[in-house]
Each structure stands twice: as structure tokens, then as C-alpha cells.
Amino acid sequence: MRGLQCPKSLYLYKNFIQKRDPISAEQKAIFSRGNNVGTIAQKLFPGGINATPQKHYDYISAVNKTQQLINEGVEIIYEAAFQFEQVLSIIDVLVKKPSKEAIENTLPNEGNQNSKIQNQWFAYEVKSSTKISQSYLLDASLQYWVITNSGIPLEDISIITINNQYIKQGAIKLDDFFSINSVKKEALQNQLLVGEKVMLSKLVVENLNMPEVNIGEHCFSPYNCDFMGTCWKKAPKNSIFEIMGIQKKDLFILYNQGIKTIAEIPDNNLLDKNANIHIQSFKNGTPRIDIAAIKTFIEKIEYPLYFMDFESFMPAIPLYNETKPYQHIPFQYSLHYKKSKETREEHFYFLAEQGSDPRKHFLENLLNHIENKGSIIVYDALMERNILNSLKKQFPEHAAQIDLLLLRIVDLMIPFQNRSYYHPAMKNSHSIKNILHALIPTLSYTNLKISSGSIAMIAFEALQTETDLFKIIETKENLLEYCKLDTLSMVKIYEILEQQ
Ligand code: SF4
């Protein structure tokens, strides 16, 4: 799969693994989420035997153990390993059972039908996603190629995904929570392609020289390559790739014309309006401040001000009744309160205890903390609005109060999004981190243990099963620090706008 994205990435992986970029906290969490979903999906096929090797890299013993289990007549194998043409494949679940057609075609008066039905092998690959991507199909095609060519004919191969319409009521009903999708048709169509690509990939790995591959759009598709630290390190300072929010294809059109830095981008380029505001602002070295537009924005805002930020997490396997997979569950908020322009801000917050549905306490505390007058300032209001609307449905007794909160929300992102205030250090982005970096570099997330919403999400999810008291306290302190900085940043950014 790596070789399909880029032969150089495959070569580096096989020969210079030490050059691989460090795995981020977000990536680790995605892997661990995948493992959790995989373990639960095994329960769809209870009673199997696991062929996972005792040592992580001892795959040959896993292949041998799988073969031994098959020879012994084991009919459900987890993590079944196969090898063909030096390609290893580990399928999440391998099951031997009668095919649906065989059962349907057996006449009811044939006595003990099961003894007459020929059992077949079925392979299942589990994904923690709710959709089947092209990469998953190719991955399953490769699995099919390895397994069938190593002597196990497969009656079917399926990708198990999460059903995003599932709503939890009591214990998770596995048959409803997971969707089993046969992909044998696509796997069969891809067999020739897989064979060719495997042979090409083997040539790449065995070659003494690294393939020469220039950086390109393929570095980001279908996944961000983890050798960018190696291939991209020659990018010059103020490279065109530092401009955010532009499609990679448009940047590579410039790059392939020999334009490497922002200063070299001609005025008659085909980039969009915002990108050109950035390019001009960068070339002039000056911010762009539309004082009239900022004043109009500020005039709509009324004291007292509530600077509000929510954190939510999205468990793949719903934890609470009436929730769906990957639903945003709010667990924390930070609130900076400013009574008037002259007064100092005060801080309020809520952070849920782990282990129970946080939504009721979250809402009750929020409604207590916010009085019924003044503007509620958020940065990028979409998430906060969505969460308040879903709380409205869950707690209709508070719907009227929530509606009033929604009416008072002002999105501080707007003057930055519409470029009423633009500074070249924002790099064509209006994310709060870039605004902060440009306007108040002393207030930074860099030294925080939790430095992004996605890490906060993962940290709180991990707390649900954490038993080490010190870790729990530490994580909670880190979460509080992170969310507090979000709203403090808003206070300071707002003050800058107010001074214009
Ligand atoms: S960074 Fe790009 S060119 Fe380098 S190995 Fe990865 S995909 Fe290939």
C-alpha cells in the first residue's frame, strides 16, 4: 500500500526506517482506536483463536501458527497471517462456515443438513471508519491475493465498518453497530493489478539505489507520507508550501514552473483572492487592517462579554445511550468573563468527571455561569452551535434558554476569515493558533502538554479507562490549561480589535 502511494516511501521504509518522521499523538490515538474497534469486532465471531505472534515482529511464527490452526480444524482465527511471494497479510478474522447459498440450497428433508454442507472460508477486515475508501478496497484486494495464492480459497472477503446510523440503547448490539460489506467483486477485479504492483514493489525494495521521486501531490494522498522530514527538508524559507488553505495541486503548478518562494509568485497568478491578499501582504511586509469593517463588527458586541470555548470527544463506540458512533460529546468548557472594557477578565470552567455521561452537568453548569445579557464570543462558532443544538434536543426543558444563548453568539473568527484584519504571519489561515502567532506570539500553545482540540479529545477519551490517579490528575490539569488558553487568547485578540 505504501509502494502504491510512492516507491521512494516504500524504499525508505524498508531500508531507512530510522528516517521516518515521529508518530504524532493524534496518529497514535487513531491506531489505538482501530485496535479497540478490531477487538470488539472479533466478538461478532466468538470463540476464535488468536494467531498474533508473541513477539511483535515474529511474523513467520504467526504464519506457521495460522497454518497449524487451519490443519487442526480451527474454524475461527483472529489475526490470521499468510505469506505469498514475500508479501505478508494479516486478516482480522478468518472464519470457516457454510456459505449462505449452500444453506439455502439444502433441502429441509435432508436430515442433518450441516453434515452435508461444505464449509468455506470467509475473510473479514475491520476498519474503525464508517465508509469504505479506495485504499481499503486495494488493501482487501491485496489480502485476497495473498490468502488465496497461499492455498486458502476464499468464498468471500468483507470489510467491516461502523454503522454511523447506529444509536446506542443499552449494551452495544454488535450486529447493528457493524456493517459487513462484501468486497470480493472489487478484489477479483484488482487481482492482476495487485500482482503487477507487488512485483514492481519488490524490485523497488531489492534495488540498491533509492528511486528518484520528486515531491508532489502524492506526498499527501491518500495519506500524509511519514518521510516528509526527509524529502521536504530542502524547501526554502518562506516556501510557497507555507501558504495554507490552498489546494496542493495549485501549489504544485507553481512549483513545477520553478516558483519556489512566495516572493517569486507573479502578480498574475491563478490563486484565489485570499491567497493573493497573503502574497501581497507578505511581499509588502505589512498587515492589512480595514478599520471601518472592524468597527462595524465591534459595534454589534455588547458587554458583559463571555469568551466561550467547548471541548468535545467523539467515541467510535458510543458510550452513552441515545448517541451515535463518532458523535461529539461535550465534556469541558472554558469561559472568560469581562464585565466591561475597563475590568479585568475572570475565568470560569467546567471539566466532566470521567466514567459518566457529561452532558447534563456540562449544560447545567454552563447555564449557571452565563447570565442573560451580553455577547457570547466564540472562535469558529460551528462546533459550539452544533453542540448547543444537540443539547437542546436531549434536554428540551432547557431549549428556550439554549435558544437565547444561540442568539447571543458572535463569531470572533469573522473579521479574520473575511480578511478585515490580516497579518502576513497568519500564512493565509484564520485558525486561532495562526492569529495568535501573528498578533500575540508570547501567548503560545507550543509548551502545553495538550496543544490542540484533537489531542484534548484523545486525552479525555483515554481518561474513561484510566485507573492511575496521578495520570488522571495530570491529564485534567493539562486539559484545563489548554482550554483556558483558548478563551484567554480570544480575550486578547478581541482587545486588539477593540483598539483599532
Ligand atoms: S515525502 Fe513524498 S516523495 Fe518523499 S517518500 Fe514520501 S511520498 Fe515519496
Side-chain angles (χ1 to χ4, degrees):
M1 293 306 296
R2 185 178 279 276
L4 284 183
Q5 179 167 349
C6 173
K8 184 175 176 184
S9 172
L10 177 66
Y11 182 90
L12 286 167
Y13 185 83
K14 283 288 176 185
N15 297 298
F16 296 98
I17 186 80
Q18 70 279 10
K19 287 184 187 273
R20 197 178 178 196
D21 300 336
I23 298 174
S24 67
E26 280 102 334
Q27 284 167 318
K28 278 186 197 156
I30 292 168
F31 294 149
S32 104
R33 170 177 278 163
N35 289 341
N36 294 342
V37 171
T39 308
I40 291 188
Q42 288 178 351
K43 293 184 185 160
L44 283 167
F45 311 95
I49 297 184
N50 203 318
T52 303
Q54 285 195 334
K55 287 190 198 132
H56 186 57
Y57 288 105
D58 191 6
Y59 292 123
I60 288 303
S61 77
V63 173
N64 293 339
K65 184 169 176 187
T66 302
Q67 197 53 56
Q68 184 194 334
L69 293 173
I70 290 171
N71 295 343
E72 287 168 2
V74 173
E75 297 195 333
I76 300 173
I77 305 172
Y78 307 136
E79 308 295 335
F82 298 90
Q83 198 186 32
F84 177 68
E85 285 282 350
Q86 295 175 279
V87 183
L88 177 84
S89 160
I90 301 173
I91 191 90
D92 287 317
V93 188
L94 186 72
V95 179
K96 198 171 193 187
K97 61 178 183 179
S99 69
K100 211 170 139 201
E101 289 75 24
I103 296 172
E104 282 168 4
N105 294 337
T106 305
L107 295 172
N109 58 359
E110 284 188 1
N112 182 358
Q113 293 113 17
N114 282 346
S115 64
K116 298 187 177 182
I117 300 173
Q118 188 80 39
N119 282 346
Q120 314 281 351
W121 286 107
F122 292 75
Y124 300 91
E125 184 65 14
V126 182
K127 301 290 179 194
S128 53
S129 171
T130 56
K131 287 194 286 252
I132 297 179
S133 66
Q134 193 56 29
S135 301
Y136 292 170
L137 286 175
L138 283 168
D139 189 20
S141 304
L142 179 66
Q143 302 253 39
Y144 186 91
W145 186 82
V146 174
I147 298 171
T148 52
N149 280 308
S150 52
I152 300 294
L154 288 179
E155 178 66 14
D156 202 359
I157 182 163
S158 301
I159 297 177
I160 300 182
T161 51
I162 292 176
N163 167 16
N164 60 3
Q165 294 309 309
Y166 177 78
I167 299 174
K168 178 177 157 74
Q169 283 294 358
I172 298 280
K173 294 186 183 77
L174 294 178
D175 288 332
D176 297 334
F177 176 69
F178 286 113
S179 318
I180 300 180
N181 316 277
S182 170
V183 291
K184 186 180 175 187
K185 190 171 138 231
E186 293 83 350
L188 284 173
Q189 282 165 357
N190 285 333
Q191 289 308 282
L192 266 180
L193 175 84
V194 169
E196 280 168 23
K197 294 289 178 190
V198 165
M199 296 313 147
L200 287 174
S201 296
K202 283 171 71 177
L203 290 178
V204 167
V205 173
E206 285 157 10
N207 203 323
L208 288 179
N209 300 316
M210 183 160 68
E212 280 192 27
V213 181
N214 220 336
I215 56 170
E217 282 177 72
H218 58 271
C219 300
F220 306 91
S221 175
Y223 305 108
N224 282 351
C225 176
D226 46 10
F227 286 103
M228 290 219 224
T230 301
C231 299
W232 284 70
K233 67 180 173 205
K234 287 193 190 136
K237 198 163 182 276
N238 300 319
S239 137
I240 55 169
F241 295 106
E242 288 179 19
I243 311 176
M244 303 171 89
I246 304 182
Q247 288 201 359
K248 294 286 181 294
K249 108 174 144 24
D250 294 333
L251 289 174
F252 276 103
I253 290 174
L254 292 173
Y255 180 80
N256 293 330
Q257 289 166 358
I259 297 164
K260 304 282 189 293
T261 63
I262 302 170
E264 291 165 358
I265 301 177
D267 290 346
N268 63 343
N269 64 72
L270 296 174
L271 299 177
D272 65 19
K273 188 175 158 218
N274 280 350
N276 274 294
I277 289 175
H278 173 66
I279 293 162
Q280 285 317 316
S281 182
F282 175 86
K283 286 183 180 174
N284 302 337
T286 50
R288 165 196 149 110
I289 304 171
D290 181 341
I291 292 178
I294 292 170
K295 282 202 184 313
T296 308
F297 175 76
I298 295 283
E299 273 164 18
K300 289 188 211 136
I301 295 173
E302 284 175 19
Y303 277 93
L305 305 183
Y306 294 88
F307 294 87
M308 181 178 87
D309 183 60
F310 294 171
E311 299 301 331
S312 66
F313 75 128
M314 302 160 64
I317 303 156
L319 297 173
Y320 316 117
N321 280 344
E322 301 292 337
T323 62
K324 288 182 180 180
Y326 294 111
Q327 180 173 329
H328 279 279
I329 308 289
F331 65 86
Q332 177 181 18
Y333 64 76
S334 171
L335 208 55
H336 269 93
Y337 169 76
K338 246 191 124 178
K339 194 170 179 191
S340 69
K341 196 170 174 179
E342 294 72 33
T343 52
R344 273 187 73 85
E345 68 275 359
E346 293 173 57
H347 185 239
F348 303 93
Y349 65 87
F350 170 80
L351 175 57
E353 292 302 319
Q354 68 275 29
S356 61
D357 187 341
R359 291 174 293 173
K360 188 166 188 285
H361 284 133
F362 176 96
L363 180 60
E364 285 172 353
N365 278 273
L366 185 74
L367 293 175
N368 277 336
H369 273 145
I370 299 186
E371 291 172 342
N372 55 9
K373 60 175 187 202
S375 297
I376 300 169
I377 300 181
V378 297
Y379 200 93
D380 193 355
L382 185 68
M383 204 256 272
E384 276 74 10
R385 284 188 197 281
N386 284 345
I387 284 178
L388 286 171
N389 278 316
S390 79
L391 290 171
K392 208 165 86 174
K393 276 191 206 137
Q394 197 195 355
F395 303 104
E397 67 277 21
H398 294 300
Q401 278 173 288
I402 295 174
D403 274 336
L404 290 175
L405 293 188
L406 284 163
L407 284 173
R408 290 161 59 197
I409 286 182
V410 177
D411 195 337
L412 183 58
M413 186 172 78
I414 288 169
F416 300 99
Q417 187 177 31
N418 66 19
R419 303 307 193 251
S420 299
Y421 195 121
Y422 190 76
H423 187 288
M426 292 175 193
K427 299 184 175 180
N428 196 32
S429 159
H430 46 267
S431 81
I432 192 163
K433 287 203 177 71
N434 281 44
I435 306 300
L436 205 58
H437 170 69
L439 303 188
I440 318 156
T442 45
L443 261 189
S444 164
Y445 290 80
T446 323
N447 294 325
L448 296 187
K449 293 254 172 58
I450 291 176
S451 57
S452 73
S454 47
I455 299 179
M457 195 179 265
I458 292 157
F460 188 75
E461 192 166 346
L463 274 188
Q464 307 312 302
T465 47
E466 185 57 72
T467 51
D468 182 331
L469 196 58
F470 291 107
K471 263 198 184 156
I472 292 172
I473 293 170
E474 196 191 356
T475 305
K476 284 186 167 178
E477 281 172 0
N478 293 337
L479 283 167
L480 291 174
E481 215 181 335
Y482 165 69
C483 198
K484 185 178 178 184
L485 182 58
D486 267 345
T487 49
L488 182 63
S489 306
M490 280 190 242
V491 174
K492 300 300 169 196
I493 291 169
Y494 181 75
E495 286 173 354
I496 289 179
L497 293 184
E498 217 175 24
Q499 286 157 15
Q500 302 306 314

